Amino acid sequence: MNDVNEKKLAKPLVWIDAVLPFQLEGSALRGRFVRLGASVDTILRQHDYPLPVAQVLAEMTALAAALGTAMKFDGVFTIQTKTDGAVRMMVADVTSDGALRAYAQFDPEGIEEAKAGGSLLGRGHLVMTLDQKLGEERYQGVVQVENDNLTKAFQLYCKQSEQIPTGLIVAAHRGEDNAWLAGCLMIQRMPREGGQGGMPATDTAIEDDWLRAMALMQTCTPRELTDPSLPAPDLLFRLFHEEGVRVYEPVALRHECRCSRDKIAGVLAGMPPEELKAMAQDEGHIAVTCQFCSKTYRFDVDEL
Ligand SMILES: [Zn+2]
């Protein structure tokens, strides 16, 4: 990766809808900082979710972007929750070239209860799937979701499935112009590399570095995470200047749905004719709405 510390920048960088990888020098800690603006706002405007649903889905999308873009792969990284709270299911996926999409399913009555202190997510599972574009490699990891805590489930996944202790903070809210903003800061404790020369760090020193970084991370406010007027490197330097922050090339993120008329026609063509007839509405039409982007595709039963 190229060092793009600010003094060397030839042009100003955009700090929204991007992920900024960074490293805390002097300790084996690396991180990623995600800020979402138009991408997450577009995702949420495609639906009419109640506020608590929109907020938790925005947070999940930012978490998916942080984790998904940290993996080296060519394909799609998908995260799905299935829980017993008011938000029954959420799906967010990110492609290796930075395309995001997401949707949620919820129980409207449960949302009212959640607003009055009931459980929004409750308990259940978080499933991560990595689909590689080439070949059949399909990796899945499952962790438990407890007590509405999505961030904790993500941290558990990193620790259990990838053996990487991970600290995460996330925030989402509507900005002054009513548009959604989301931010996520992730720090990972990488396995120690051998053969680098010099004195190896002691376990105590590594643990101290980790605890100090976690404590500094917790001083970041939800507003700082999402504030579009606060450039991402400035926030990282504000939080971790004593650790020495090195930022790398940011990666652009965007909203993009991968649904298409051809794909849906292909799925319908594989269904038994009697099932298609049962789906048909007046005048032999079938309407299929993409759950991610809410786009509706109409087909003639006869053309399938
Ligand atoms: Zn779609």
Side-chain angles (χ1 to χ4, degrees):
M1 277 192 275
N2 296 323
D3 180 355
V4 291
N5 281 312
E6 275 189 298
K7 56 190 172 199
K8 295 177 190 164
L9 289 175
K11 57 179 180 184
L13 296 167
V14 175
W15 302 115
I16 304 182
D17 293 310
V19 51
L20 181 65
F22 66 91
Q23 185 164 344
L24 300 185
E25 305 215 288
S27 58
L29 302 178
R30 72 174 187 191
R32 300 180 87 73
F33 180 52
V34 170
R35 270 240 183 91
L36 303 180
S39 59
V40 76
D41 189 55
T42 305
I43 288 170
L44 295 171
R45 278 177 199 277
Q46 289 165 342
H47 307 272
D48 190 18
Y49 295 136
L51 197 66
V53 181
Q55 178 163 1
V56 73
L57 187 64
E59 290 176 358
M60 171 129 136
T61 307
L63 285 162
L67 209 57
T69 59
M71 296 178 176
K72 292 201 172 19
F73 71 107
D74 186 14
V76 185
F77 176 67
T78 306
I79 293 172
Q80 178 168 356
T81 61
K82 267 194 182 163
T83 50
D84 63 5
V87 179
R88 293 192 295 261
M89 192 187 82
M90 289 191 288
V91 184
D93 69 28
V94 55
T95 64
S96 40
D97 71 343
L100 291 166
R101 58 179 194 170
Y103 74 93
Q105 288 178 355
F106 62 96
D107 163 24
E109 283 177 26
I111 295 300
E112 290 310 308
E113 288 166 22
K115 282 180 186 166
S119 155
L120 187 62
L121 293 179
R123 301 180 52 161
H125 291 95
L126 182 71
V127 181
M128 319 256 182
T129 312
L130 195 57
D131 279 308
Q132 301 269 25
K133 207 182 275 177
L134 300 171
E136 289 96 58
E137 277 176 90
R138 191 180 158 92
Y139 171 75
Q140 263 199 338
V142 184
V143 288
Q144 291 213 317
V145 178
E146 304 267 1
N147 305 322
D148 285 355
N149 199 327
L150 196 58
T151 310
K152 206 168 173 186
F154 271 76
Q155 290 178 164
L156 195 62
Y157 167 79
C158 293
K159 199 167 182 184
Q160 283 183 358
S161 302
E162 300 190 31
Q163 310 291 317
I164 304 175
T166 301
L168 280 164
I169 51 171
V170 67
H173 65 93
R174 286 187 127 151
E176 282 165 17
D177 55 358
N178 234 9
W180 279 94
L181 298 162
C184 177
L185 179 59
M186 174 170 95
I187 293 184
Q188 296 194 304
R189 181 167 157 176
M190 302 314 293
R192 221 182 331 163
E193 290 174 11
Q196 297 262 331
M199 291 292 285
T202 63
D203 287 347
T204 314
I206 291 171
E207 184 66 19
D208 285 351
D209 286 344
W210 172 249
L211 293 176
R212 197 172 55 252
M214 290 301 98
L216 291 169
M217 188 163 100
Q218 293 304 328
T219 66
C220 180
T221 66
R223 192 60 59 170
E224 286 175 318
L225 270 183
T226 55
D227 182 359
S229 67
L230 176 59
D234 291 4
L235 173 60
L236 294 176
F237 294 135
R238 184 185 290 179
L239 291 171
F240 303 114
H241 60 94
E242 283 176 14
E243 310 295 304
V245 185
R246 172 178 289 244
V247 297
Y248 296 97
E249 195 84 51
V251 180
L253 299 167
R254 67 189 187 281
H255 164 262
E256 189 181 290
C257 192
R258 296 188 302 284
C259 67
S260 71
R261 189 172 175 82
D262 281 356
K263 274 189 196 168
I264 292 172
V267 173
L268 293 175
M271 291 170 67
E274 57 272 22
E275 223 170 288
L276 289 178
K277 283 211 177 84
M279 282 171 75
Q281 296 161 342
D282 50 337
E283 297 173 21
H285 285 95
I286 290 179
V288 179
T289 300
C290 173
Q291 287 183 294
F292 280 99
C293 69
S294 299
K295 187 171 176 181
T296 298
Y297 296 87
R298 290 176 204 287
F299 299 88
D300 252 330
V301 174
D302 296 340
E303 74 175 282
L304 294 163

